[in-house]
Amino acid sequence: MGRSGAEDIDRLRRDIDRALADKLDADRVLPLLARLARATAPGSEPWLYAHRHLAEMGVEHDPWRAALFARRVLQFHEEDDGAWAVLGLAQSLLGNYRYAARAYERALAIAPENPWYAHNLGHLYDVALNRPHDALPLLAQATEAQTGEADIAASYAHALARCGKLVLAKKILKRAIRHGATADQMALWRWLDAGAPTTGESGPDPQRPADSKRKAKRRRARERQSLGD
């Protein structure tokens, strides 16, 4: 690559960094990232940077394409926990729950202290894969690490109730929603207050699939924040 080409890439990278710092809309940043990806050699640092951000910023708009970008990163950097996590989120949004769980398992193995990886994997175990007992330690870890997050506490309470720990479930949820609750969290509370009846289903999902895309951006930002990015 000539000097002018390298300078163009450096300039483009600075433009992207500035756009991300200014929290510009994805529609304005994604074309810059695509240009950087096309202009750099596969596996190079700027190429990986572009693909990571393409996956992260695009996951709520196009989870299939985001998964593709994440897998490209993992071809060169198999220990990239962020790429595994965005792959897990993308597969969750696509409804491929076993695939999503495997991706989050990889992310958590690399970054075991990340409470959002633990939460997302635990929630998948409980609601999508009908494995609430496997979910409990993960959701307990996440709740302890993020005491102010009602979403995490609601997921933990749901799994606790499914495992027969109704008193603790109500205590956890009541504390989490004392300053206000979403409609889903109130539905969960009513289910707990009724004794968590089973009707062949797992009870109300504290984070319904219909809300998944709306929450995806916030969840991904929290995952990055917990890593200190």
Side-chain angles (χ1 to χ4, degrees):
M1 181 186 300
R3 180 176 178 180
S4 61
E7 289 176 351
D8 289 344
I9 289 172
D10 289 343
R11 188 180 306 110
L12 182 56
R13 175 73 174 265
R14 289 194 299 271
D15 289 344
I16 294 170
D17 287 339
R18 187 161 47 248
L20 292 173
D22 292 342
K23 299 186 183 335
L24 297 185
D25 290 341
D27 290 343
R28 298 178 62 182
V29 184
L30 289 172
L32 298 176
L33 290 165
R35 282 175 53 195
L36 182 62
R38 289 193 300 268
T40 51
S44 65
E45 192 280 331
W47 185 92
L48 290 168
Y49 170 93
H51 280 75
R52 284 191 192 100
H53 284 287
L54 283 166
E56 291 172 5
M57 297 193 71
V59 68
E60 64 174 328
H61 304 292
D62 190 344
W64 185 89
R65 193 168 179 81
L68 177 64
F69 289 132
R71 288 197 299 268
R72 288 178 181 173
V73 172
L74 292 167
Q75 287 177 350
F76 292 93
H77 191 1
E78 194 174 356
E79 296 302 302
D80 190 318
D81 61 287
W84 282 113
V86 77
L87 180 59
L89 179 54
Q91 295 300 330
S92 294
L93 295 173
L94 291 168
N96 300 324
Y97 299 123
R98 286 183 173 80
Y99 190 165
R102 290 195 298 270
Y104 271 119
E105 287 165 356
R106 293 294 298 269
L108 193 62
I110 298 165
E113 301 304 317
N114 188 303
W116 288 97
Y117 299 171
H119 166 263
N120 293 350
L121 178 57
H123 188 63
L124 281 167
Y125 280 168
D126 177 26
V127 174
L129 301 179
N130 196 29
R131 295 165 55 186
H133 289 89
D134 292 331
L136 281 185
L138 294 167
L139 295 172
Q141 171 191 338
T143 301
E144 183 177 347
Q146 295 286 334
T147 55
E149 288 291 344
D151 284 347
I152 287 181
S155 295
Y156 186 31
H158 184 274
L160 283 166
R162 293 194 68 208
C163 293
K165 302 178 184 295
L166 184 59
V167 173
L168 181 55
K170 293 177 71 173
K171 178 180 178 180
I172 293 291
L173 185 61
K174 185 176 182 179
R175 183 171 60 210
I177 64 174
R178 64 187 182 278
H179 299 307
T182 66
D184 293 338
Q185 289 160 3
M186 287 306 301
L188 176 61
W189 175 259
R190 290 191 293 272
W191 179 67
L192 296 178
D193 207 35
T198 58
T199 58
E201 298 180 357
S202 63
D205 183 351
Q207 299 175 68
R208 294 177 299 168
D211 293 334
S212 294
K213 288 193 177 183
R214 179 173 57 81
K215 293 180 178 179
K217 185 175 182 180
R218 181 163 59 110
R219 190 186 316 169
R220 184 67 194 130
R222 284 165 167 169
E223 288 176 358
R224 293 182 62 207
Q225 187 178 50
S226 68
L227 286 171
D229 288 352

